[in-house]
Amino acid sequence: MSSSNQAGPATTQAATPAARSGSWLTPGFVIACGCMIAMLAFGPRSSMGLFIKPLSETNGWGRDVFALSIALQNLLWGIGTPLAGALADRYGPALVLGISGVFYAAGLALMSMADSQLLLHLSAGLLIGIGLAGASFGIVIAGFSRIVPPEKRSWSMGIATAAGSLGQTLFAPMGQAFIAAYGWQTALVLFGATMLLIPVFAAAFAGAGGAKNAPVVTGADIGFAAMIRQAFRHRSYVLLVTGFFVCGFQLAFITTHLPPYLMGAGISPSLASWAMGLIGLFNVIGSYASGVLGGRMSKRYLLCANYTLRGVCTAIFILLPVTPVSVIVYAAAMGLLWLSTVPPTSGLVALMFGTRYLGMLYGFAFLSHQIGGFLGVWLGGVLFERTGSYDVVWWASVVLALASAAVNWPIAEKPAPSSLTAQQAKA
């Protein structure tokens, strides 16, 4: 593989896993396994809203109890992602993905036994949050960035994100079918069993090693602490991280509270679950298209357009009566915009700082995303219990979407000057 001519941080290369082992472990096979991991990991997480009503009714809890557990899950997912990314950057993604898949499975199984608030917070919050931190598409994306050349990087990020969306499409209706046929406890156990496939697929990443031994690595090797300092001194990175907060606020709120919101408005549980599945289906299209477009046009413009359209679509949805047609149209529109922020966001991080520390630096951006998710889920539950309505959070989502579009507009779409300085100083 030839050296990259891309301006910015230095590029180091090594033989591909297939070249080193002489086996079928090709980059294409690794990408396929990574997509399976993204699909599996995002599936149950995106279906949590289906369990809020039966679990709460079984235990006599308000929605704020379940909402707090999912809010903690989002927060721990966010806090753990930079740490998991740093471990993947150093030791490779295989170990991180495999261990995290086991945590995820244990959390879902334990959640099925939750008969106290503490046990719910421990399972749905702590264990699943840790599992998601190391088994979600963020780690997969970082792994992909080290086995594909720069010109295909945005595409690979888009396909990983699209695979996660496919998980939502499959698991949301499947989860509702499991609940209807076997009850919510058994549905969670079945979900947990499927998460044990993650360590199996993670084995495909074993040949890639850490970032220093990966086929394609860009960026100065200046150490984790120094890179963190440089990143948070770079205005465009700070703006990107700030804007990603809004994505988390919106997605976590909708994932958790849209199904009960729709059922409260007279929509059947079946259509509510299919609405979540429809979001995932259309996000396969939106995420893949975002990855392709991110390699051809301005990534910050893609982000600005996404957040603006989210705000407009949500405002129209909450102003109109809730009907099956409005639900389907809104789910399809939000699906196109759902995770299509991820390829341009991760792509901008790679452009600014290279891929050497991409897992960690994208992890900090994702931490901002998950802090937003914590607030979106928690406020949704608390305000519903106090006011009997989700209206305040819906409108907050609209305002924040427009604010995020404004925040992303000034981002400088080029390598960070600090990274160039570090590269030159090391040369």
Side-chain angles (χ1 to χ4, degrees), residues 176-385:
Q176 184 59 42
F178 284 164
I179 292 171
Y182 309 115
W184 65 269
Q185 292 96 335
T186 302
L188 286 169
V189 172
L190 292 172
F191 273 2
T194 63
M195 295 306 100
L196 293 177
L197 291 173
I198 291 177
V200 177
F201 290 114
F205 286 87
K212 289 184 179 180
N213 299 318
V216 180
V217 179
T218 62
D221 185 9
I222 62 174
F224 289 99
M227 180 52 71
I228 292 171
R229 288 194 297 270
Q230 288 191 1
F232 282 97
R233 290 172 182 167
H234 186 50
R235 179 173 177 265
S236 290
Y237 179 74
V238 173
L239 292 173
L240 185 66
V241 168
T242 302
F244 214 28
F245 168 94
V246 176
C247 182
F249 184 97
Q250 294 173 321
L251 267 59
F253 169 70
I254 291 174
T255 298
T256 304
H257 294 288
L258 181 62
Y261 170 78
L262 295 178
M263 286 183 271
I267 298 298
S268 69
S270 176
L271 181 56
S273 68
W274 276 106
M276 298 306 300
L278 196 62
I279 288 174
L281 177 62
F282 275 82
N283 191 43
V284 173
I285 301 170
S287 297
Y288 183 78
S290 177
V292 172
L293 291 173
R296 300 178 181 178
M297 61 179 292
S298 168
K299 296 176 179 62
R300 69 184 177 103
Y301 289 161
L302 283 174
L303 289 173
C304 292
N306 180 292
Y307 288 118
T308 300
L309 288 172
R310 282 191 192 188
V312 171
C313 290
T314 299
I316 293 173
F317 176 66
I318 58 181
L319 286 171
L320 293 175
V322 178
T323 66
V325 173
S326 71
V327 170
I328 291 171
V329 172
Y330 181 67
M334 286 302 295
L336 291 173
L337 305 168
W338 193 248
L339 288 175
S340 57
T341 57
V342 173
T345 298
S346 52
L348 282 169
V349 175
L351 176 61
M352 293 174 190
F353 303 105
T355 60
R356 174 66 183 86
Y357 299 100
L358 177 60
M360 179 183 66
L361 293 179
Y362 174 77
F364 279 112
F366 193 72
L367 172 57
S368 173
H369 182 283
Q370 293 308 97
I371 292 172
F374 174 91
L375 291 174
V377 172
W378 179 66
L379 286 175
V382 169
L383 291 175
F384 179 85
E385 289 300 320

